[in-house]
Amino acid sequence: MRQFLFTAVITACLGATSAQAEAVQGDAAAGEKVFAKCSGCHQVGSGAKHRVGPHLNGIFGMAAGSHEEFRYSKAFQRLGSTGLEWHADTLDAFLENPRAMSRGTRMSFPGVKDADDRANLIAYLRTFSDNPADIPEADPTAQVLDHNLDPAILALVGDREYGEYLSSECTTCHQASGGDSGIPSIVYWPEEDFVIAMHAYKEKVRPNPVMQLVAGRLGDEEIAALAAYFATIED
Amino acid sequence: MDMKRRAFLGAVAASATLAAPMVRAMGGKPRVVVVGGGSGGATAARYIAKDSKGEIDVTLIEPTRTYYTCYFSNLYLGGFKEMDDLGHTYGGLAANHGINVVHDWAVGVDRDAKTVALAGGGSVPYDKLILSPGIDFVDGAVAGWSTASQNKMPHAYKAGSQTELLKAQLEAMPQGGTYAMVAPPNPYRCPPGPYERVSMVAHYLKNNNPTAKIIVADPKPKFSKMALFQEGWNNHYAGMIDWIGDDFGGGNVEVNPDEMTLSIDGEVMNVDVCNVIPAMKAGRIAELAGVTDGNWAPVNAVDMSSKADPDIHVLGDASQQGDMPKSGFSANSQAKVCANAVRGALTGSRVFPAKFSNTCWSLISTNDGVKVGATYEATEEKIAKVDGFISQTGESADVREATYQESEGWYSGIVADMFA
Ligand SMILES: Cc1cc2nc3c(=O)[nH]c(=O)nc-3n(C[C@H](O)[C@H](O)[C@H](O)COP(=O)(O)OP(=O)(O)OC[C@H]3O[C@@H](n4cnc5c(N)ncnc54)[C@H](O)[C@@H]3O)c2cc1C
């Protein structure tokens, strides 16, 4: 494993008030471990694709919310249109508390509270951003969602209208707007991820008893219908 | 009595048919009238209006302008929530879904003419009527208590001013005083509700009045999530709570609101707060509409239609449906099944099989949340339980905290599902 050190300039918070910047040495190898918190939703490295969250290659210098093929939340689109770009400081503030930066974000993730963890993580992400001086030929590091679902289940085409009806059971807890205040957002997921997650509850691979119960009585067609509906909820 | 076709509440009867109707249906659109803008009614109105995209004219009749949720009202007693956190208004239903919200009481239903009479005069015609009026109390259920004494001995089982009153009384208790609760017999709104309340009251007292005592007189031999609550009471509030079940005379009570005394199995005691939660029945309008049989309104499980009238649906606490507990979650779940069926009947939209579910969270102490949940299906005879789960005793603090966080998420979810 190549040790990759990168000096990230971390500002405590965004905005003009935080004049003092504190320089933290991020350790990319340590950051790779922290990235385990992200890899359920994000891929990074060669061949990385958009999953629940956008892939994170080339994130440095990129305008927030600017992958055209990825469906961001409205809140996030707004953030990008205000001119926010991803750099060490903005990433640090975002990763500390995503909802503090974008209240309506669909990134249902509480944040990385430890400043060193964040610095390491940012150093790690930095290795996948274009910069002739320090691009390592990164191996794919993203953890592909683990599953062994029958491809026929993944291939089912969901009945969206049925999905809309079934979704009404879900929206008692999961907000249709994608808001998250204790229960994660499930809107605009790639259908495949959605189907895998639901089957993981159904098979009791994922532990939450509420979701095991909900998924437990859904048939394959019904899960496909829900995936189709939630993937395109506002269309 | 039950089958009375025309029934109005006393004095307003005369004006009800005469005054110009305040609500008129638009051109030939089918008309749905929903009585009660709570967990069942607001959800049903919202789903019918939202999903029919203007094809159905929806009127919601609800007297209050702000709906205070009973859910989390115990957390308000415990100091975890403010009253404002519990209040929700109807602006979104009108603005986002074109629902005609009428702030008035429904005082009668004419099932032949298919109209609902309003206390303020006028009547509203319907093709389908949905009643979700919640609960009222059974007269004479607790000896010595009537709704006239609710300002001395509050029930706080409809949220709002009653909840604030109970909190004020709790705060005014003398050091070392006694908080008494008279718990209700089955079936009643929110099975774990009284015991979550005991927990939240204990939480408040532990921090503000640690020598105070809580006494619960209960007509039941056991109650919802009993092992979980008792474990929690031992862990957090040891020695503070005395629960007297039916075996020890907890069902044999009498209160005297003027003297502030409570008698349990013949033994009279002075109490500082007496929270009387009497036996319950369907909200009165269900009885006036002639759809009740005994205390509740029997319904068909597939679409929540009344067994007495196919054009009336009864949701939530007022309905007698089978295995689901009377909860906000259940009412919301039933409302969606009903909305799908009503839309199908009126516009020919697709009708899907009925599915119901419920989860009830309770908070025992800071970050100590527990839950119980189940799924249900419609059978010929009733809503029948399919499968369920309950939190375990001895769970780790992390699990309990995550459970509490879920309940916060659920609260935001359900109120958006009702009012957004
Ligand atoms: C302390 C407490 C805690 C609770 N905690 C939970 C919980 O954690 N989770 C949960 O799921 N449930 C909980 N519940 C239960 C939940 O509040 C009820 O089960 C739920 O609100 C029932 O919905 P509903 O539509 O039947 O009645 P409600 O929500 O009570 O709505 C009835 C509405 O009808 C209106 N109304 C009545 N009569 C008329 C009339 N004649 N004309 C017009 N309008 C009328 C009323 O003003 C009211 O707004 C709790 C209840 C209590 C008391």
Side-chain angles (χ1 to χ4, degrees), chain A residues 159 161-162 164-175 181-183 204 208-210 213-214 217-219 222 229, chain B residues 47 51 329 332 336 340 350 352-357 371 374-376 387-389 405-406 408-410 412-414 417:
Chain A
D159 173 348
E161 199 181 345
Y162 187 29
E164 178 169 13
Y165 167 71
L166 292 171
S167 77
S168 67
E169 177 180 357
C170 323
T171 51
T172 308
C173 294
H174 295 280
Q175 295 174 47
S181 28
I183 290 184
K204 304 201 191 303
N208 188 283
V210 171
L213 194 66
V214 167
R217 66 163 169 176
L218 293 170
E222 289 173 321
Y229 174 70
Chain B
Y47 270 79
D51 294 343
F329 199 123
N332 169 272
K336 292 163 186 173
N340 183 249
R350 283 168 76 186
F352 299 104
K355 279 196 175 192
F356 304 91
S357 60
K371 59 184 169 183
T375 51
Y376 305 85
D387 195 7
F389 69 87
Q405 287 305 328
E406 268 175 39
E408 289 276 356
W410 163 76
S412 310
I414 192 170
D417 209 32

Short mmCIF file of all heavy atoms in Angstrom, two decimals, chain A residues 159 161-162 164-175 181-183 204 208-210 213-214 217-219 222 229, chain B residues 47 51 329 332 336 340 350 352-357 371 374-376 387-389 405-406 408-410 412-414 417:
data_model
loop_
_atom_site.label_atom_id
_atom_site.label_comp_id
_atom_site.label_asym_id
_atom_site.label_seq_id
_atom_site.Cartn_x
_atom_site.Cartn_y
_atom_site.Cartn_z
N ASP A 159 -43.95 -2.26 -11.86
CA ASP A 159 -45.21 -1.58 -12.22
C ASP A 159 -45.27 -0.31 -11.37
O ASP A 159 -45.58 -0.34 -10.19
CB ASP A 159 -46.37 -2.54 -11.89
CG ASP A 159 -47.75 -1.91 -12.04
OD1 ASP A 159 -47.85 -0.67 -12.18
OD2 ASP A 159 -48.73 -2.67 -12.00
N GLU A 161 -47.20 2.27 -11.13
CA GLU A 161 -48.45 2.70 -10.50
C GLU A 161 -48.74 1.88 -9.23
O GLU A 161 -49.19 2.40 -8.22
CB GLU A 161 -49.60 2.58 -11.50
CG GLU A 161 -50.80 3.41 -11.10
CD GLU A 161 -51.95 3.28 -12.09
OE1 GLU A 161 -51.73 2.76 -13.21
OE2 GLU A 161 -53.07 3.68 -11.73
N TYR A 162 -48.46 0.59 -9.34
CA TYR A 162 -48.60 -0.27 -8.15
C TYR A 162 -47.59 0.20 -7.09
O TYR A 162 -47.91 0.30 -5.90
CB TYR A 162 -48.36 -1.72 -8.54
CG TYR A 162 -48.64 -2.73 -7.44
CD1 TYR A 162 -49.57 -2.50 -6.44
CD2 TYR A 162 -47.95 -3.96 -7.42
CE1 TYR A 162 -49.82 -3.44 -5.46
CE2 TYR A 162 -48.21 -4.91 -6.45
CZ TYR A 162 -49.13 -4.64 -5.45
OH TYR A 162 -49.37 -5.56 -4.47
N GLU A 164 -46.54 3.15 -6.65
CA GLU A 164 -47.03 4.38 -6.03
C GLU A 164 -48.00 4.04 -4.89
O GLU A 164 -47.94 4.63 -3.82
CB GLU A 164 -47.71 5.26 -7.07
CG GLU A 164 -48.27 6.54 -6.46
CD GLU A 164 -48.72 7.56 -7.48
OE1 GLU A 164 -48.83 7.20 -8.67
OE2 GLU A 164 -48.95 8.72 -7.08
N TYR A 165 -48.87 3.09 -5.15
CA TYR A 165 -49.80 2.69 -4.07
C TYR A 165 -49.03 2.08 -2.90
O TYR A 165 -49.22 2.47 -1.75
CB TYR A 165 -50.83 1.69 -4.61
CG TYR A 165 -51.61 1.00 -3.50
CD1 TYR A 165 -52.55 1.69 -2.74
CD2 TYR A 165 -51.37 -0.34 -3.19
CE1 TYR A 165 -53.23 1.07 -1.71
CE2 TYR A 165 -52.07 -0.97 -2.15
CZ TYR A 165 -52.99 -0.26 -1.41
OH TYR A 165 -53.66 -0.86 -0.39
N LEU A 166 -48.13 1.16 -3.21
CA LEU A 166 -47.37 0.51 -2.13
C LEU A 166 -46.54 1.52 -1.35
O LEU A 166 -46.30 1.35 -0.15
CB LEU A 166 -46.45 -0.57 -2.72
CG LEU A 166 -47.14 -1.80 -3.32
CD1 LEU A 166 -46.10 -2.67 -4.04
CD2 LEU A 166 -47.85 -2.63 -2.24
N SER A 167 -46.09 2.55 -2.04
CA SER A 167 -45.20 3.53 -1.40
C SER A 167 -45.90 4.25 -0.25
O SER A 167 -45.26 4.80 0.62
CB SER A 167 -44.74 4.58 -2.41
OG SER A 167 -45.79 5.51 -2.65
N SER A 168 -47.23 4.23 -0.28
CA SER A 168 -47.92 4.97 0.78
C SER A 168 -47.67 4.32 2.13
O SER A 168 -47.75 4.97 3.16
CB SER A 168 -49.42 5.08 0.47
OG SER A 168 -50.04 3.81 0.53
N GLU A 169 -47.33 3.05 2.14
CA GLU A 169 -46.95 2.44 3.42
C GLU A 169 -45.61 3.01 3.91
O GLU A 169 -45.39 3.19 5.10
CB GLU A 169 -46.82 0.91 3.27
CG GLU A 169 -46.34 0.26 4.58
CD GLU A 169 -46.19 -1.26 4.49
OE1 GLU A 169 -46.50 -1.85 3.44
OE2 GLU A 169 -45.74 -1.85 5.48
N CYS A 170 -44.74 3.29 2.96
CA CYS A 170 -43.39 3.72 3.32
C CYS A 170 -43.37 5.17 3.79
O CYS A 170 -42.58 5.54 4.66
CB CYS A 170 -42.45 3.58 2.13
SG CYS A 170 -42.79 2.13 1.10
N THR A 171 -44.24 6.01 3.19
CA THR A 171 -44.14 7.44 3.45
C THR A 171 -44.67 7.83 4.82
O THR A 171 -44.60 9.00 5.18
CB THR A 171 -44.87 8.25 2.35
OG1 THR A 171 -46.19 7.73 2.19
CG2 THR A 171 -44.12 8.15 1.04
N THR A 172 -45.18 6.89 5.58
CA THR A 172 -45.46 7.19 6.98
C THR A 172 -44.14 7.46 7.70
O THR A 172 -44.09 8.24 8.65
CB THR A 172 -46.17 6.00 7.66
OG1 THR A 172 -47.28 5.63 6.87
CG2 THR A 172 -46.63 6.34 9.06
N CYS A 173 -43.09 6.81 7.25
CA CYS A 173 -41.79 6.97 7.90
C CYS A 173 -40.76 7.69 7.01
O CYS A 173 -40.04 8.55 7.46
CB CYS A 173 -41.22 5.61 8.29
SG CYS A 173 -42.19 4.77 9.56
N HIS A 174 -40.70 7.27 5.74
CA HIS A 174 -39.72 7.87 4.82
C HIS A 174 -40.39 9.03 4.11
O HIS A 174 -41.37 8.83 3.40
CB HIS A 174 -39.28 6.86 3.76
CG HIS A 174 -38.54 5.68 4.31
ND1 HIS A 174 -37.21 5.73 4.63
CD2 HIS A 174 -38.94 4.42 4.58
CE1 HIS A 174 -36.81 4.54 5.07
NE2 HIS A 174 -37.85 3.72 5.06
N GLN A 175 -39.86 10.22 4.26
CA GLN A 175 -40.53 11.37 3.65
C GLN A 175 -40.41 11.34 2.13
O GLN A 175 -39.33 11.15 1.58
CB GLN A 175 -39.93 12.67 4.19
CG GLN A 175 -40.21 12.84 5.67
CD GLN A 175 -39.52 14.05 6.23
OE1 GLN A 175 -39.56 15.12 5.65
NE2 GLN A 175 -38.86 13.87 7.36
N SER A 181 -35.02 13.03 8.96
CA SER A 181 -34.78 13.50 10.32
C SER A 181 -34.79 12.32 11.27
O SER A 181 -35.42 12.34 12.29
CB SER A 181 -35.82 14.55 10.72
OG SER A 181 -37.03 14.36 10.02
N GLY A 182 -34.14 11.25 10.89
CA GLY A 182 -34.03 10.09 11.77
C GLY A 182 -34.30 8.79 11.02
O GLY A 182 -33.97 7.72 11.49
N ILE A 183 -34.92 8.90 9.85
CA ILE A 183 -35.16 7.74 9.00
C ILE A 183 -34.65 8.12 7.61
O ILE A 183 -34.99 9.18 7.09
CB ILE A 183 -36.66 7.37 9.00
CG1 ILE A 183 -37.04 6.82 10.38
CG2 ILE A 183 -36.96 6.35 7.90
CD1 ILE A 183 -38.45 6.31 10.52
N LYS A 204 -33.29 -10.77 6.00
CA LYS A 204 -32.78 -10.47 7.33
C LYS A 204 -31.24 -10.39 7.37
O LYS A 204 -30.61 -10.70 8.38
CB LYS A 204 -33.30 -11.46 8.38
CG LYS A 204 -34.84 -11.54 8.43
CD LYS A 204 -35.32 -12.10 9.76
CE LYS A 204 -36.78 -12.47 9.81
NZ LYS A 204 -37.73 -11.39 9.50
N ASN A 208 -32.50 -4.15 10.81
CA ASN A 208 -33.59 -3.38 11.43
C ASN A 208 -34.93 -4.11 11.42
O ASN A 208 -35.46 -4.46 10.36
CB ASN A 208 -33.71 -2.04 10.70
CG ASN A 208 -34.67 -1.11 11.39
OD1 ASN A 208 -35.87 -1.28 11.27
ND2 ASN A 208 -34.14 -0.17 12.12
N PRO A 209 -35.54 -4.35 12.60
CA PRO A 209 -36.78 -5.15 12.65
C PRO A 209 -37.96 -4.50 11.93
O PRO A 209 -38.80 -5.21 11.37
CB PRO A 209 -37.08 -5.29 14.15
CG PRO A 209 -36.26 -4.27 14.83
CD PRO A 209 -35.08 -3.98 13.96
N VAL A 210 -38.03 -3.18 11.95
CA VAL A 210 -39.13 -2.51 11.24
C VAL A 210 -39.03 -2.84 9.76
O VAL A 210 -40.01 -3.26 9.12
CB VAL A 210 -39.06 -0.98 11.42
CG1 VAL A 210 -40.05 -0.28 10.51
CG2 VAL A 210 -39.32 -0.59 12.86
N LEU A 213 -39.73 -6.41 8.76
CA LEU A 213 -41.16 -6.70 8.74
C LEU A 213 -41.79 -6.15 7.45
O LEU A 213 -42.56 -6.83 6.77
CB LEU A 213 -41.79 -6.04 9.96
CG LEU A 213 -43.19 -6.45 10.33
CD1 LEU A 213 -43.18 -7.90 10.76
CD2 LEU A 213 -43.68 -5.58 11.48
N VAL A 214 -41.43 -4.90 7.14
CA VAL A 214 -41.99 -4.25 5.95
C VAL A 214 -41.61 -5.04 4.69
O VAL A 214 -42.45 -5.38 3.86
CB VAL A 214 -41.48 -2.79 5.84
CG1 VAL A 214 -41.78 -2.20 4.48
CG2 VAL A 214 -42.08 -1.93 6.94
N ARG A 217 -42.89 -9.04 3.83
CA ARG A 217 -44.11 -9.48 3.17
C ARG A 217 -44.24 -8.95 1.75
O ARG A 217 -45.29 -9.08 1.12
CB ARG A 217 -45.33 -9.09 3.99
CG ARG A 217 -45.54 -7.61 4.06
CD ARG A 217 -46.96 -7.34 4.51
NE ARG A 217 -47.12 -5.94 4.85
CZ ARG A 217 -48.27 -5.41 5.20
NH1 ARG A 217 -49.34 -6.15 5.26
NH2 ARG A 217 -48.35 -4.13 5.50
N LEU A 218 -43.19 -8.32 1.25
CA LEU A 218 -43.25 -7.84 -0.13
C LEU A 218 -42.72 -8.92 -1.07
O LEU A 218 -41.67 -9.51 -0.82
CB LEU A 218 -42.41 -6.57 -0.30
CG LEU A 218 -42.92 -5.33 0.45
CD1 LEU A 218 -41.88 -4.23 0.40
CD2 LEU A 218 -44.24 -4.84 -0.16
N GLY A 219 -43.43 -9.16 -2.15
CA GLY A 219 -42.97 -10.09 -3.15
C GLY A 219 -41.94 -9.41 -4.06
O GLY A 219 -41.76 -8.19 -4.02
N GLU A 222 -43.37 -6.70 -6.13
CA GLU A 222 -43.72 -5.51 -5.35
C GLU A 222 -42.47 -4.67 -5.05
O GLU A 222 -42.51 -3.44 -5.12
CB GLU A 222 -44.44 -5.92 -4.06
CG GLU A 222 -45.84 -6.44 -4.36
CD GLU A 222 -46.55 -7.02 -3.14
OE1 GLU A 222 -45.89 -7.69 -2.32
OE2 GLU A 222 -47.76 -6.80 -3.03
N TYR A 229 -40.99 3.18 -8.65
CA TYR A 229 -41.68 4.41 -8.24
C TYR A 229 -40.72 5.38 -7.54
O TYR A 229 -40.62 6.56 -7.90
CB TYR A 229 -42.87 4.08 -7.33
CG TYR A 229 -43.50 5.33 -6.77
CD1 TYR A 229 -44.21 6.20 -7.62
CD2 TYR A 229 -43.34 5.68 -5.45
CE1 TYR A 229 -44.75 7.37 -7.14
CE2 TYR A 229 -43.88 6.86 -4.95
CZ TYR A 229 -44.59 7.69 -5.79
OH TYR A 229 -45.11 8.86 -5.31
N TYR B 47 -54.60 12.07 0.41
CA TYR B 47 -54.32 11.07 -0.63
C TYR B 47 -55.38 11.08 -1.73
O TYR B 47 -55.05 10.91 -2.90
CB TYR B 47 -54.16 9.67 -0.01
CG TYR B 47 -52.73 9.40 0.36
CD1 TYR B 47 -52.18 9.93 1.52
CD2 TYR B 47 -51.89 8.68 -0.48
CE1 TYR B 47 -50.85 9.72 1.85
CE2 TYR B 47 -50.56 8.47 -0.16
CZ TYR B 47 -50.03 9.00 1.01
OH TYR B 47 -48.71 8.80 1.31
N ASP B 51 -53.96 12.09 -5.32
CA ASP B 51 -53.87 11.05 -6.35
C ASP B 51 -54.95 11.16 -7.42
O ASP B 51 -54.79 10.63 -8.50
CB ASP B 51 -53.91 9.66 -5.69
CG ASP B 51 -52.67 9.41 -4.83
OD1 ASP B 51 -51.67 10.15 -5.02
OD2 ASP B 51 -52.69 8.51 -3.98
N PHE B 329 -50.53 5.79 13.65
CA PHE B 329 -49.93 5.03 12.56
C PHE B 329 -51.00 4.17 11.90
O PHE B 329 -51.10 4.13 10.66
CB PHE B 329 -48.80 4.16 13.12
CG PHE B 329 -47.80 3.68 12.11
CD1 PHE B 329 -46.45 3.97 12.26
CD2 PHE B 329 -48.20 2.92 11.02
CE1 PHE B 329 -45.51 3.51 11.33
CE2 PHE B 329 -47.27 2.46 10.09
CZ PHE B 329 -45.93 2.76 10.25
N ASN B 332 -53.47 6.27 9.88
CA ASN B 332 -52.82 6.72 8.65
C ASN B 332 -52.75 5.58 7.63
O ASN B 332 -53.03 5.77 6.43
CB ASN B 332 -51.42 7.24 9.04
CG ASN B 332 -50.49 7.51 7.88
OD1 ASN B 332 -49.79 6.62 7.43
ND2 ASN B 332 -50.47 8.74 7.40
N LYS B 336 -55.01 5.18 3.80
CA LYS B 336 -54.48 5.00 2.45
C LYS B 336 -55.20 3.88 1.72
O LYS B 336 -55.45 3.96 0.52
CB LYS B 336 -52.99 4.73 2.53
CG LYS B 336 -52.24 5.95 3.01
CD LYS B 336 -50.87 5.57 3.48
CE LYS B 336 -50.17 6.76 4.11
NZ LYS B 336 -48.90 6.35 4.70
N ASN B 340 -57.52 4.62 -1.63
CA ASN B 340 -57.36 3.87 -2.88
C ASN B 340 -58.70 3.29 -3.33
O ASN B 340 -59.07 3.35 -4.50
CB ASN B 340 -56.32 2.78 -2.66
CG ASN B 340 -56.02 1.98 -3.90
OD1 ASN B 340 -56.36 0.81 -4.00
ND2 ASN B 340 -55.40 2.60 -4.89
N ARG B 350 -57.22 2.26 -10.57
CA ARG B 350 -56.87 0.90 -10.16
C ARG B 350 -56.99 0.74 -8.64
O ARG B 350 -56.55 1.60 -7.89
CB ARG B 350 -55.45 0.56 -10.59
CG ARG B 350 -55.33 0.23 -12.07
CD ARG B 350 -53.87 0.18 -12.50
NE ARG B 350 -53.18 -1.04 -12.07
CZ ARG B 350 -51.88 -1.24 -12.24
NH1 ARG B 350 -51.12 -0.30 -12.80
NH2 ARG B 350 -51.32 -2.37 -11.83
N PHE B 352 -55.85 -1.60 -5.52
CA PHE B 352 -54.87 -2.62 -5.16
C PHE B 352 -55.26 -3.27 -3.84
O PHE B 352 -56.04 -2.71 -3.07
CB PHE B 352 -53.49 -1.97 -5.06
CG PHE B 352 -53.02 -1.36 -6.35
CD1 PHE B 352 -53.05 0.01 -6.55
CD2 PHE B 352 -52.60 -2.18 -7.40
CE1 PHE B 352 -52.62 0.57 -7.75
CE2 PHE B 352 -52.17 -1.63 -8.60
CZ PHE B 352 -52.18 -0.26 -8.78
N PRO B 353 -54.71 -4.45 -3.58
CA PRO B 353 -55.07 -5.16 -2.35
C PRO B 353 -54.73 -4.35 -1.08
O PRO B 353 -53.71 -3.66 -1.06
CB PRO B 353 -54.23 -6.44 -2.38
CG PRO B 353 -53.53 -6.46 -3.69
CD PRO B 353 -53.75 -5.19 -4.41
N ALA B 354 -55.58 -4.47 -0.09
CA ALA B 354 -55.37 -3.74 1.16
C ALA B 354 -54.17 -4.30 1.92
O ALA B 354 -54.01 -5.52 2.03
CB ALA B 354 -56.63 -3.86 2.03
N LYS B 355 -53.33 -3.40 2.43
CA LYS B 355 -52.20 -3.79 3.28
C LYS B 355 -52.14 -2.78 4.39
O LYS B 355 -52.27 -1.59 4.15
CB LYS B 355 -50.89 -3.64 2.50
CG LYS B 355 -50.59 -4.77 1.59
CD LYS B 355 -49.13 -4.73 1.18
CE LYS B 355 -48.85 -5.97 0.37
NZ LYS B 355 -47.47 -6.22 0.13
N PHE B 356 -51.93 -3.26 5.58
CA PHE B 356 -51.89 -2.34 6.71
C PHE B 356 -50.63 -2.59 7.53
O PHE B 356 -50.13 -3.71 7.56
CB PHE B 356 -53.08 -2.57 7.63
CG PHE B 356 -54.43 -2.49 6.96
CD1 PHE B 356 -55.02 -3.63 6.44
CD2 PHE B 356 -55.11 -1.28 6.87
CE1 PHE B 356 -56.27 -3.56 5.83
CE2 PHE B 356 -56.36 -1.21 6.27
CZ PHE B 356 -56.95 -2.36 5.74
N SER B 357 -50.18 -1.57 8.20
CA SER B 357 -49.09 -1.80 9.15
C SER B 357 -49.15 -0.79 10.27
O SER B 357 -49.81 0.25 10.16
CB SER B 357 -47.73 -1.75 8.45
OG SER B 357 -47.54 -0.50 7.86
N LYS B 371 -40.03 -0.05 20.78
CA LYS B 371 -41.05 -0.05 19.73
C LYS B 371 -41.72 -1.41 19.63
O LYS B 371 -41.18 -2.43 20.07
CB LYS B 371 -40.43 0.33 18.38
CG LYS B 371 -39.31 -0.62 17.94
CD LYS B 371 -38.64 -0.15 16.65
CE LYS B 371 -37.37 -0.93 16.38
NZ LYS B 371 -36.65 -0.50 15.19
N ALA B 374 -46.33 -4.32 13.72
CA ALA B 374 -46.90 -5.50 13.07
C ALA B 374 -47.44 -5.14 11.70
O ALA B 374 -47.69 -3.97 11.40
CB ALA B 374 -48.03 -6.09 13.93
N THR B 375 -47.59 -6.17 10.89
CA THR B 375 -48.25 -6.00 9.59
C THR B 375 -49.59 -6.73 9.65
O THR B 375 -49.76 -7.69 10.41
CB THR B 375 -47.40 -6.58 8.45
OG1 THR B 375 -47.03 -7.91 8.79
CG2 THR B 375 -46.15 -5.76 8.23
N TYR B 376 -50.51 -6.30 8.80
CA TYR B 376 -51.88 -6.81 8.83
C TYR B 376 -52.39 -6.96 7.41
O TYR B 376 -51.94 -6.28 6.49
CB TYR B 376 -52.79 -5.84 9.57
CG TYR B 376 -52.33 -5.50 10.96
CD1 TYR B 376 -51.39 -4.48 11.16
CD2 TYR B 376 -52.78 -6.21 12.06
CE1 TYR B 376 -50.93 -4.18 12.44
CE2 TYR B 376 -52.34 -5.90 13.35
CZ TYR B 376 -51.41 -4.89 13.52
OH TYR B 376 -50.96 -4.59 14.79
N ASP B 387 -47.77 -10.55 11.04
CA ASP B 387 -46.45 -10.76 11.62
C ASP B 387 -46.12 -9.54 12.48
O ASP B 387 -46.68 -8.47 12.25
CB ASP B 387 -45.45 -10.89 10.46
CG ASP B 387 -44.12 -11.46 10.89
OD1 ASP B 387 -44.00 -11.89 12.06
OD2 ASP B 387 -43.19 -11.48 10.05
N GLY B 388 -45.22 -9.70 13.43
CA GLY B 388 -44.90 -8.55 14.26
C GLY B 388 -43.57 -8.68 14.96
O GLY B 388 -42.91 -9.72 14.88
N PHE B 389 -43.17 -7.61 15.64
CA PHE B 389 -41.93 -7.64 16.42
C PHE B 389 -42.11 -6.73 17.62
O PHE B 389 -43.01 -5.89 17.65
CB PHE B 389 -40.73 -7.14 15.59
CG PHE B 389 -40.82 -5.67 15.31
CD1 PHE B 389 -40.31 -4.74 16.21
CD2 PHE B 389 -41.45 -5.21 14.18
CE1 PHE B 389 -40.44 -3.37 15.98
CE2 PHE B 389 -41.58 -3.85 13.94
CZ PHE B 389 -41.07 -2.93 14.84
N GLN B 405 -34.31 7.66 17.79
CA GLN B 405 -34.08 8.47 16.57
C GLN B 405 -35.08 8.11 15.49
O GLN B 405 -35.58 8.97 14.76
CB GLN B 405 -32.65 8.28 16.04
CG GLN B 405 -31.58 8.95 16.89
CD GLN B 405 -31.86 10.44 17.09
OE1 GLN B 405 -32.41 11.11 16.24
NE2 GLN B 405 -31.49 10.95 18.27
N GLU B 406 -35.37 6.83 15.37
CA GLU B 406 -36.38 6.40 14.39
C GLU B 406 -37.72 7.06 14.66
O GLU B 406 -38.43 7.45 13.74
CB GLU B 406 -36.62 4.89 14.52
CG GLU B 406 -35.77 4.04 13.64
CD GLU B 406 -36.01 2.57 13.96
OE1 GLU B 406 -37.17 2.15 14.21
OE2 GLU B 406 -35.02 1.85 13.97
N GLU B 408 -38.30 9.87 15.97
CA GLU B 408 -38.24 11.25 15.51
C GLU B 408 -38.45 11.30 14.00
O GLU B 408 -39.17 12.16 13.48
CB GLU B 408 -36.87 11.88 15.84
CG GLU B 408 -36.66 12.14 17.32
CD GLU B 408 -37.26 13.48 17.73
OE1 GLU B 408 -37.77 14.22 16.88
OE2 GLU B 408 -37.23 13.78 18.95
N GLY B 409 -37.78 10.38 13.30
CA GLY B 409 -37.93 10.32 11.85
C GLY B 409 -39.37 10.01 11.46
O GLY B 409 -39.93 10.62 10.54
N TRP B 410 -39.96 9.08 12.19
CA TRP B 410 -41.35 8.73 11.91
C TRP B 410 -42.27 9.92 12.13
O TRP B 410 -43.17 10.18 11.34
CB TRP B 410 -41.80 7.56 12.81
CG TRP B 410 -43.29 7.45 12.86
CD1 TRP B 410 -44.10 6.93 11.89
CD2 TRP B 410 -44.16 7.91 13.91
NE1 TRP B 410 -45.42 7.04 12.28
CE2 TRP B 410 -45.48 7.63 13.51
CE3 TRP B 410 -43.93 8.51 15.14
CZ2 TRP B 410 -46.59 7.95 14.30
CZ3 TRP B 410 -45.03 8.82 15.93
CH2 TRP B 410 -46.34 8.55 15.50
N SER B 412 -41.69 13.12 11.85
CA SER B 412 -41.60 14.04 10.71
C SER B 412 -42.27 13.43 9.49
O SER B 412 -42.91 14.13 8.72
CB SER B 412 -40.14 14.30 10.33
OG SER B 412 -39.40 14.67 11.44
N GLY B 413 -42.09 12.12 9.33
CA GLY B 413 -42.69 11.44 8.18
C GLY B 413 -44.20 11.48 8.22
O GLY B 413 -44.85 11.87 7.24
N ILE B 414 -44.78 11.12 9.33
CA ILE B 414 -46.25 11.00 9.35
C ILE B 414 -46.90 12.38 9.27
O ILE B 414 -47.92 12.53 8.59
CB ILE B 414 -46.77 10.18 10.56
CG1 ILE B 414 -48.26 9.85 10.34
CG2 ILE B 414 -46.57 10.86 11.88
CD1 ILE B 414 -48.84 8.85 11.32
N ASP B 417 -46.90 13.29 5.80
CA ASP B 417 -47.84 12.43 5.07
C ASP B 417 -49.29 12.88 5.29
O ASP B 417 -50.17 12.57 4.50
CB ASP B 417 -47.65 10.99 5.57
CG ASP B 417 -47.97 9.95 4.52
OD1 ASP B 417 -47.74 10.22 3.33
OD2 ASP B 417 -48.44 8.86 4.90
#
